[in-house]
Amino acid sequence: MKLFLTDIFCSITVAIKKRSRVPGVMITQYVEQIPLGKSTPDFTRKPMATTVQEGKKALFKAMVNGDPEPTVTWERNKGEVNDEEMYKTRYDERAREHILEMPNVKPDQSDTYKCFATNEYGVAVCTVTLKVVEGKKDTQYYNDQGPQDFRSMLKKTKKQLPPPKEGEIDPKLWELLLSAPKKDYEKICFDFGVTDFRWMLKRLKQLKKEREDEQAKVVEKVENVKQIEVKPNGKAEFSVDMTLWDPNSEINLYKDGKLVPYGCDENSKPCLMKTGTKYVFSIKDPQPEDAGFYQLDVEEANILSTEFQVPAVEFIAKIKDAKAVESEDAIFQCVLSTPLNRITWSIEENSLDDGDKYEITVSEDKLIHTLRVKNCEMKDNGKYYAIAGITTSSASLTVEARDPMNKFKVGISENKTMNMQSPPSFIVPLKMRTAPQGYECCMSCAVKGDPAPRVTWYCNNMSLNTNPNYYISNICGVCSLLILRVGQKDNGEYKVVIENQLGTAECSMTLNVRGISMVQQSYFLS
């Protein structure tokens, strides 16, 4: 008996808890000293929470490490996983993943599951949830409730919005406006090409009342709805504050009409984090395939709709560090490779809006985006971000205190390092354009060179730089030519010549004006 108690005491003293690099993983070390080169098990990627429909296949996947190589086993809280028909375990050598597969899942398999990774030096364990959504038989619903209710049921469960018809408003626009605060109406409409949205407000008010009545069945209050945007931490986030009547209500996420499983830890993609009444959905390391139309529902009531766009865009010129004296303005400016109506500006994690404190402007060609911080104060010091799509540029603002003894602060000249000179070249060349008569047309290219090259525009070999009929600009290396009203005389070949003391470069494109015959085109190009 004495020996037995000693063995128990020894086993307790060497149950050492260790911290995992992966949140939500618990490691227990069995021995006091681990030999050199050996290690306890750990997860490099833990399984993600999954929501699947009844009758579908569910998968949990985990990646582990440790020396010796750990053995991976699975358990569940409310039952066993030893039924080989319901639970199949395997190891994918190519992907190095340990997999628990559940074909043809049933509602009673909804549970919390545990994954264990074990070797002779310890064990690592993590938990993951499976939620099985019960399916309904459409034919029975039709017979019990009638055809009108059946169509209503399909409308609510499909989530897929109909494609826009020619001449009609895209249904996505209505959904986004129903979720957005009034201050965002104008920019959302602008993204859909709607410039006069005042006539829509009456219809929107009616739809909003219907939506609020639907929401009132499941939530007490909905407020602070934030549309999706990429944050400086690299995550795409959208959020809402809501108080549920029933804390156990189902919260479902849909992308382009399809149910999306999500987890509740930072490593899940997507992830739901709840703090009090605030619900934040985030997509870690967003990629182009994550773009889509997202909808958040509580039970059958839609709470939020948001569209995540991932344009193919890069920064030709990133924002640069700025300095300002108190009460002066500071400017951040960037140049994009692709025209965008707007980008996201933020300081730390807070996005900025155009208003009294910040002035956000976009050039005619939608390539140059500018943030002006007005009347700088010491609290404006910090890191600012320009976010275009999923690409980010950052720079710091340093606000210096004004000398109270002097009206103006005297700057001290600093030694500047000499830049390496380079001949002129095109970063983004001109591209062929087609424009209808009577409409506006803008063409642009991006150039570089040191010293800054001189830029000359030509149309059919005639210089345009002194022609008042064309608006020509060159800002931060983005050279643009704007034709306010395209006519027959604008048809032809356009060329940009750039030169500095180290050389010359040129590029050209053809502008085809619609409504001009082939004979007329030959005349203009000859």
Side-chain angles (χ1 to χ4, degrees), residues 170-194:
D170 191 332
K172 288 182 182 178
L173 175 58
W174 291 113
E175 291 293 322
L176 293 173
L177 292 175
L178 285 170
S179 298
K182 287 184 178 179
K183 66 181 182 67
D184 291 338
Y185 285 179
E186 189 170 0
K187 60 185 179 184
I188 291 174
C189 288
F190 187 71
D191 286 344
F192 281 79
V194 178

Side-chain angles (χ1 to χ4, degrees), residues 42-309:
D42 196 1
F43 284 80
T44 56
R45 193 181 75 201
K46 66 179 192 176
M48 293 175 57
T50 302
T51 300
V52 295
Q53 189 175 0
E54 180 183 358
K56 302 292 184 180
K57 181 193 294 185
L59 292 174
F60 288 139
K61 299 180 180 181
M63 295 178 68
V64 301
N65 61 11
D67 193 358
E69 185 175 343
T71 300
V72 174
T73 55
W74 302 83
E75 293 182 5
R76 58 174 290 192
N77 279 358
K78 300 177 183 177
E80 303 293 336
V81 294
N82 50 14
D83 187 336
E84 295 184 358
E85 294 295 323
M86 299 177 64
Y87 301 97
K88 302 179 186 294
T89 58
R90 56 187 172 90
Y91 178 67
D92 186 334
E93 293 187 2
R94 183 184 60 82
R96 302 180 64 186
E97 293 176 329
H98 294 269
I99 300 172
L100 174 63
E101 181 178 329
M102 292 163 275
N104 192 24
V105 293
K106 300 178 181 177
D108 60 5
Q109 288 179 270
S110 293
D111 200 354
T112 299
Y113 290 75
K114 291 183 179 180
C115 183
F116 296 85
T118 311
N119 68 12
E120 60 189 89
Y121 300 114
V123 61
V125 61
C126 66
T127 61
V128 61
T129 57
L130 170 65
K131 185 176 182 180
V132 181
V133 180
E134 293 188 32
K136 291 185 174 70
K137 293 184 179 179
D138 293 345
T139 54
Q140 169 142 14
Y141 191 95
Y142 183 93
N143 292 332
D144 292 347
Q145 304 295 330
Q148 183 60 40
D149 289 332
F150 175 60
R151 285 193 293 269
S152 176
M153 184 273 290
L154 284 179
K155 180 182 177 182
K156 289 184 178 180
T157 57
K158 251 187 170 179
K159 304 296 175 187
Q160 187 72 46
L161 294 175
K165 297 179 181 179
E166 187 175 352
E168 294 185 1
I169 293 178
D170 191 332
K172 288 182 182 178
L173 175 58
W174 291 113
E175 291 293 322
L176 293 173
L177 292 175
L178 285 170
S179 298
K182 287 184 178 179
K183 66 181 182 67
D184 291 338
Y185 285 179
E186 189 170 0
K187 60 185 179 184
I188 291 174
C189 288
F190 187 71
D191 286 344
F192 281 79
V194 178
T195 54
D196 182 11
F197 63 91
R198 290 176 181 82
W199 64 271
M200 301 166 57
L201 293 179
K202 184 176 180 180
R203 172 62 175 156
L204 183 62
K205 184 177 180 180
Q206 178 187 350
L207 291 173
K208 205 154 194 172
K209 177 66 169 62
E210 295 173 1
R211 179 63 55 87
E212 288 171 353
D213 290 344
E214 183 183 352
Q215 292 174 351
K217 299 174 183 177
V218 292
V219 295
E220 180 181 354
K221 184 167 57 176
V222 177
E223 56 187 0
N224 298 328
V225 176
K226 298 289 181 64
Q227 295 288 316
I228 194 166
E229 62 179 24
V230 177
K231 298 291 186 179
N233 61 13
K235 294 181 179 179
E237 293 183 357
F238 59 95
S239 63
V240 60
D241 286 355
M242 58 183 178
T243 304
L244 307 182
W245 290 115
D246 180 1
N248 297 316
S249 295
E250 284 188 358
I251 299 177
N252 295 321
L253 179 65
Y254 297 85
K255 177 192 172 190
D256 296 329
K258 295 181 180 179
L259 191 65
V260 178
Y262 60 83
C264 297
D265 62 87
E266 294 182 353
N267 290 315
S268 301
K269 181 178 179 179
C271 161
L272 167 63
M273 301 297 285
K274 179 179 179 291
T275 306
T277 60
K278 185 173 184 178
Y279 295 77
V280 179
F281 276 86
S282 63
I283 302 172
K284 183 181 179 182
D285 187 26
Q287 300 297 317
E289 56 268 24
D290 294 316
F293 187 70
Y294 289 84
Q295 293 173 291
L296 176 65
D297 285 12
V298 175
E299 297 294 348
E300 298 295 332
N302 178 253
I303 304 297
L304 186 156
S305 297
T306 186
E307 187 169 30
F308 184 36
Q309 299 178 352

